[in-house]
Amino acid sequence: MAVAYFDHAASTPMHPEVVEAMREFFDGCYANPTGAHRMARDARRATDDARDVLAEALGARPGEIVFCGSGTEGDNLAVFGAAAGEAGPGGSGGTVVCSATEHPAVLRPVEQLGGRVVGVDRGGMLDLDALAAALDGDVRLVSVMLANNETGVVWSLAEVAEVMARHAPGALLHTDAVQAFPWLDVAALATPADLISVSAHKFGGPKGVGALVVRDGVRLQAQIVGGGQEAERRSGTPNVAGIVGMGTAAAVTLARRGEVVQRAGRLRDRLADGLRAAIGGVIETGVHPPAGAGAPVDRSAKVAGSCHLCFEGIESEALLFLAERGGVYASAASACASGAEDPSHVLAAMGYPRSLARGSLRLSLGAASSEADVETALAVLPPAVAQLRRAAA
């Protein structure tokens, strides 16, 4: 049975060019890049080349790139590191602020630090008035996603920066751009950000490697200390193969992004429109206004690969089971929350009732998505929803 993979927001297949580029650093150049001999120098040169590519892709200088183990680590380093960096030795740090729909890699550190959480509207857009009310001279960091990992909603960092300039001019702006990079020109859109997190496996690279842009002059306290790698900002032997793979994936993504966005957006629209037409009692999130069957839809505020729906009268776990039996692989929310009993915190923040949020489905497309995938989903999901509703009646 062919598989229709609609979980690209959780992880994407590696590009063939990435696999090929990494192979040398498993088989031939396996040295520690911090060494002094020729093989070590070759490894270091490869990581430096990848750093150059990623810096260009993110609108940064090579020295502003900090390689780390994941997008989660990059987010943690941004939040904890910025707060501690302001404090200095023995200090208490400043207040941190984030949106209510952030990935847990940001939301939980902010909550752990006793920070402030700002709400969003029904469409998932940040409440800028609430953000202004949460800011003051004590705020050290504001963290807002460029694109949401569940709904695909895109925010304007320029608007956030304008609010910060009026109410917390000394604060740093961090953006989790993990979901944005495959679809958006992060180098341009994240220009106002002082800190930018990305993760390789979201755009055709390997798992286990991410990066954080730390603009020159930003005070950031390392959270992993030891050998002083990454200019004392993140210690640990560099994952050379992973870093090379990330750099290659970034280059491939930049070269093909325009074509991928156009094609995936067309497939996404066909998928969403087809499901809304075939299934009653469905709400599409991240559009303005949130749309059910027959309503006009404006998806311009979402990334091209995001199709997020809520089905009345069903539970997503049961739908995912039936979908997988039919060859459709999807998710209910973010991958890290998969299997959790509580509905998505993102939908709760957007004001969706628990009864509707329990029936959410995230169908995320990527560079490898195809017409056949959409056809399979349109054939499998409507009867699956109907079966579950009959069983619940």
Side-chain angles (χ1 to χ4, degrees):
M1 179 179 63
V3 169
Y5 184 77
F6 284 100
D7 207 16
H8 291 269
S11 193
T12 57
M14 285 200 294
H15 297 300
E17 299 94 328
V18 172
V19 176
E20 185 62 29
M22 293 176 66
R23 184 171 288 117
E24 175 185 353
F25 298 92
F26 292 128
D27 298 339
C29 187
Y30 40 78
N32 188 323
T34 61
H37 51 73
R38 181 186 60 78
M39 190 184 293
R41 295 195 302 272
D42 289 345
R44 184 164 60 251
R45 186 177 304 109
T47 62
D48 288 343
D49 289 344
R51 196 184 305 273
D52 291 342
V53 171
L54 201 60
E56 182 177 359
L58 295 173
R61 294 177 54 257
E64 295 174 328
I65 300 294
V66 177
F67 287 115
C68 51
S70 62
T72 292
E73 185 189 339
D75 286 343
N76 273 233
L77 177 56
V79 178
F80 287 124
E86 173 67 13
S92 59
T95 302
V96 291
V97 177
C98 75
S99 82
T101 56
E102 293 301 308
H103 189 280
V106 168
L107 188 60
R108 291 180 182 173
V110 169
E111 291 173 341
Q112 185 173 323
L113 291 169
R116 302 166 189 166
V117 178
V118 178
V120 300
D121 65 19
R122 178 77 170 188
M125 289 297 194
L126 183 66
D127 186 333
L128 295 177
D129 290 334
L131 174 63
L135 300 180
D136 56 37
D138 292 330
V139 172
R140 166 61 175 169
L141 177 79
V142 175
S143 181
V144 292
M145 304 178 94
L146 183 51
N148 188 265
N149 56 303
E150 290 187 30
T151 64
V153 171
V154 179
W155 289 349
S156 169
L157 297 184
E159 292 181 353
V160 172
E162 288 176 5
V163 175
M164 292 173 60
R166 293 195 303 269
H167 300 279
L172 299 172
L173 174 58
H174 165 249
T175 189
D176 178 335
V178 167
Q179 293 294 335
F181 190 80
W183 309 106
L184 304 174
D185 185 353
V186 174
L189 296 176
T191 298
D194 302 287
L195 299 150
I196 308 168
S197 306
V198 292
S199 181
H201 74 107
K202 306 295 188 178
F203 53 89
K207 299 175 182 65
V209 60
L212 177 69
V213 172
V214 182
R215 304 285 191 198
D216 288 341
V218 171
R219 295 174 59 185
L220 192 77
Q221 183 168 302
Q223 301 300 292
I224 300 178
V225 297
Q229 291 87 349
E230 297 300 301
E232 301 284 351
R233 296 168 297 191
R234 195 272 189 185
S235 292
T237 302
N239 174 4
V240 178
I243 289 170
V244 168
M246 186 176 195
T248 304
V252 171
T253 298
L254 260 62
R256 302 177 185 171
R257 185 189 278 150
E259 182 273 330
V260 170
V261 167
Q262 183 177 22
R263 183 172 56 82
R266 177 175 51 81
L267 292 175
R268 185 275 311 275
D269 290 349
R270 183 167 165 235
L271 174 65
D273 290 341
L275 292 175
R276 290 171 58 238
I279 304 171
V282 57
I283 298 294
E284 183 176 1
T285 67
V287 296
H288 290 273
V297 175
D298 177 5
R299 301 187 180 103
S300 60
K302 294 168 62 80
V303 296
S306 173
C307 176
H308 189 270
L309 305 167
C310 292
F311 299 93
E312 296 176 356
I314 67 167
E315 294 191 4
S316 54
E317 287 81 2
L319 179 57
L320 289 172
F321 174 77
L322 293 181
E324 183 175 340
R325 283 207 316 192
V328 176
Y329 291 8
S331 63
S334 62
C336 58
S338 179
E341 293 183 5
D342 289 335
S344 158
H345 74 281
V346 172
L347 294 179
M350 293 168 66
Y352 283 88
R354 183 183 180 92
S355 58
L356 185 58
R358 289 176 67 182
S360 66
L361 184 68
R362 184 181 73 170
L363 296 155
S364 53
L365 294 81
S369 296
S370 67
E371 298 275 0
D373 293 336
V374 173
E375 290 293 339
T376 299
L378 291 176
V380 169
L381 293 177
V385 172
Q387 177 182 338
L388 293 173
R389 286 176 174 168
R390 286 195 303 269

